[in-house]
Amino acid sequence: MIKLVYSEEIEIRHHEFLIQNLVPKLTKAKSITFPWKKKSVNVLIEHLKYEGTNLEFKTAFKRQQLSFYSYIESNLERISKGKPSELLKIQEEMSSLFPLIMNILSSREQDATFSDHVYQLFGYEAFKTDTLFNLLKTAAKRRSGRGSRTRFGLKNRHHFRELLCEAFPSRAQEICDALNDDKLPTSKMFEKAFYTIPDIHMTLSNVGKSRIFEYGWSDYALIMVGGVIVCPYCNRQFVTPFLSSDGRIRADFDHFLSKSAYPHFSMSLYNLVPSCKQCNQGLKGGKNLSPVGLHPFEHDMHSYFRFTAMPGTVTSTASIDIEVDDPAISNIEELIDTFKLRPLYGYHNGHAHEIVKKRQMYPDDLLHRLLPESPFSDVEELKSFIVGYVVDESRINEEPLSKLRRDIAIQVGFLPKKIKLDASLMNKLKQVIK
């Protein structure tokens, strides 16, 4: 829920990936007449209320299509690494310059032919990671200073072992023994032996040591290098990646501007929000959220609302509610509702119970008496330890439920914040907890 930030290196690599993969497709597409079917054209003419014949429609389309492709190529850097607000500017420019093209893209429900074509041009479905063996193999060849198509010879195998040993330094001898060139004269035997080594995997903890994602660009490369740990939408789920020979998991990429409505932004870096499967597939899906307002890559979303503990209205337990600081923010309630934060956080009322109890057990006078005997430098540091989890505001993205625990701790006066402590509410909560 803290604003997500990518490095300049990630922006450059993503942009270079699109140059290599999209530009040749655009060049080819310019030289080919788009294969419209008569039925599709008739459907669009009727839906768009186009005043012209079938031939006039296709002629106007072709004229705008070529300019549309040229615009994409000329503005590829903006499209590939522009922030969400920049993408909206591009959308406005495209709508002004290519009204027929953009109307066709927005008519996907009537006919998806051209929308699918644009989506395929950008190649999101091909933005995939190869097998772990092939990743290591490619990285080994690059480290050798040779192209990926060269033979996987002894020098490359040496670098392959080197990459693995860097990722698993304590298992270096085991790796070298299993991948001994003297016992494995062929590449096929070498690959087969690799799969016999148990528990070889890449996670955020060792991927930097092996540096296999320094070469090439893919979905797992972005997730591994980006380092997003917790879902920025809900702060409830880890989205930490894992890649091995016999299993893989990673964060979903939510297209904030849906890939069905905005296929031309389907590979825009800041339109790919790493998120948990519950938020992306289960709750948001293909919904088109308001493009104006809060965005995980442009705002600290957590600062626009806060969790509060309230006496339960149905049962004698504390419940979790959400207070919005500024309802005028155009999409804050939309986001809260889309990701069902109110009902889902109802499962975590035990955290409110725990923090209220701790506040009762550790009044300020007791904390000041405990401080000299503790390893902490001040009372606030001691309070943070007692609350548990990460309570530093800048580290909310590092641990699930950090925002909830921090907000409740502030509410009951455990952590400093310029808010008025509601003594009456605190008394009611204490009675509920008892």
Side-chain angles (χ1 to χ4, degrees):
M1 289 185 176
I2 297 288
K3 181 174 71 173
L4 301 179
V5 178
Y6 281 153
S7 66
E8 184 180 359
E9 177 202 351
I10 290 176
E11 292 184 347
I12 291 171
R13 292 178 67 182
H14 195 76
H15 178 54
E16 289 176 347
F17 177 86
L18 276 184
I19 291 175
Q20 294 168 8
N21 291 273
L22 175 60
V23 172
K25 294 180 185 177
L26 289 172
T27 302
K28 183 178 179 180
K30 288 178 185 178
S31 65
I32 300 172
T33 300
F34 188 75
W36 278 115
K37 292 182 180 179
K38 186 176 180 180
K39 180 181 177 181
S40 294
V41 173
N42 289 337
V43 167
L44 289 169
I45 286 176
E46 181 180 355
H47 174 69
L48 298 174
K49 295 180 173 55
Y50 183 81
E51 296 180 357
T53 64
N54 189 296
L55 178 60
E56 289 171 336
F57 176 91
K58 288 195 285 188
T59 301
F61 167 82
K62 184 174 182 179
R63 186 167 55 250
Q64 286 193 23
Q65 177 199 15
L66 295 175
S67 299
F68 178 66
Y69 292 154
S70 296
Y71 176 92
I72 290 174
E73 190 169 352
S74 299
N75 291 274
L76 189 53
E77 185 167 5
R78 293 173 67 202
I79 293 171
S80 66
K81 56 183 184 179
K83 293 292 179 65
S85 54
E86 183 66 16
L87 297 184
L88 293 180
K89 291 179 184 177
I90 295 171
Q91 182 71 11
E92 290 178 5
E93 291 174 13
M94 287 181 165
S95 297
S96 174
L97 293 169
F98 320 110
L100 180 58
I101 292 288
M102 301 311 285
N103 283 334
I104 291 172
L105 290 178
S106 65
S107 303
R108 178 180 174 79
E109 290 186 7
Q110 284 69 40
D111 188 272
T113 307
F114 186 64
S115 176
D116 288 343
H117 168 70
V118 173
Y119 180 65
Q120 289 163 10
L121 280 179
F122 277 85
Y124 176 72
E125 298 302 327
F127 187 54
K128 305 296 180 188
T129 293
D130 207 337
T131 65
L132 180 56
F133 178 82
N134 284 338
L135 277 173
L136 287 161
K137 185 177 174 180
T138 300
K141 289 181 178 181
R142 295 288 181 86
R143 184 172 283 195
S144 300
R146 301 179 180 183
S148 59
R149 300 193 180 205
T150 58
R151 190 174 69 86
F152 190 51
L154 292 178
K155 186 175 181 180
N156 291 329
R157 294 189 204 177
H158 166 75
H159 287 302
F160 186 102
R161 287 189 294 269
E162 189 175 65
L163 286 162
L164 268 184
C165 291
E166 287 170 1
F168 300 94
S170 64
R171 299 177 62 188
Q173 189 60 53
E174 174 192 358
I175 290 168
C176 291
D177 290 344
L179 300 178
N180 189 318
D181 288 327
D182 294 335
K183 300 176 184 177
L184 308 168
T186 68
S187 297
K188 286 289 184 184
M189 293 175 68
F190 187 91
E191 181 176 358
K192 189 174 180 180
F194 167 77
Y195 287 109
T196 66
I197 307 174
D199 202 25
I200 294 295
H201 58 265
M202 293 296 157
T203 65
L204 292 177
S205 62
N206 69 352
V207 70
K209 299 172 185 175
S210 71
R211 298 186 293 180
I212 66 169
F213 286 110
E214 286 185 1
Y215 312 98
W217 195 239
S218 64
D219 54 349
Y220 272 83
L222 175 53
I223 291 294
M224 291 283 189
V225 179
V228 177
I229 297 173
V230 176
C231 177
Y233 287 136
C234 68
N235 197 238
R236 296 176 67 236
Q237 306 284 343
F238 277 117
V239 291
T240 41
F242 172 85
L243 178 65
S244 72
S245 300
D246 57 354
R248 55 175 66 190
I249 55 172
R250 66 161 174 79
D252 275 12
F253 284 122
D254 169 50
H255 289 80
F256 195 89
L257 300 173
S258 72
K259 55 182 181 282
S260 58
Y262 304 87
H264 43 295
F265 296 146
S266 59
M267 276 297 291
S268 298
L269 177 63
Y270 292 106
N271 195 39
L272 302 174
V273 181
S275 55
C276 69
K277 281 183 167 49
Q278 287 186 3
C279 285
N280 182 44
Q281 297 183 31
L283 297 174
K284 181 173 179 286
K287 294 176 186 173
N288 286 311
L289 298 180
S290 171
V292 179
L294 303 181
H295 190 286
F297 280 112
E298 289 197 307
H299 303 92
D300 290 323
M301 294 169 65
H302 80 96
S303 63
Y304 292 86
F305 71 94
R306 61 182 179 274
F307 295 107
T308 58
M310 304 293 291
T313 56
V314 179
T315 60
S316 58
T317 60
S319 62
I320 305 298
D321 195 10
I322 293 178
E323 292 184 0
V324 174
D325 291 332
D326 184 2
I329 299 295
S330 58
N331 66 338
I332 180 63
E333 283 290 356
E334 180 187 33
L335 292 170
I336 290 171
D337 178 64
T338 297
F339 299 109
K340 307 303 176 190
L341 297 187
R342 285 189 174 92
L344 287 175
Y345 268 87
Y347 287 111
H348 305 302
N349 60 359
H351 290 270
H353 280 240
E354 176 192 338
I355 294 172
V356 173
K357 282 183 179 179
K358 284 181 175 178
R359 186 53 173 153
Q360 288 178 275
M361 293 172 61
Y362 294 95
D364 287 345
D365 59 342
L366 176 58
L367 290 171
H368 282 92
R369 293 201 304 272
L370 290 173
L371 182 61
E373 304 299 324
S374 76
F376 303 106
S377 59
D378 56 43
V379 170
E380 301 309 326
E381 191 176 332
L382 175 57
K383 285 181 180 180
S384 296
F385 172 75
I386 293 169
V387 171
Y389 281 60
V390 176
V391 293
D392 181 348
E393 185 174 21
S394 66
R395 299 177 62 195
I396 284 175
N397 288 359
E398 297 180 15
E399 196 81 40
L401 305 178
S402 290
K403 175 170 173 57
L404 170 68
R405 293 184 67 90
R406 185 175 185 279
D407 284 355
I408 302 300
I410 290 172
Q411 181 190 1
V412 301
F414 235 147
L415 298 179
K417 194 76 173 181
K418 292 181 180 179
I419 64 172
K420 185 178 180 181
L421 188 63
D422 189 331
S424 174
L425 177 59
M426 272 298 298
N427 289 330
K428 289 179 182 178
L429 285 171
K430 290 177 182 178
Q431 291 302 317
V432 166
I433 300 305
K434 286 182 180 178

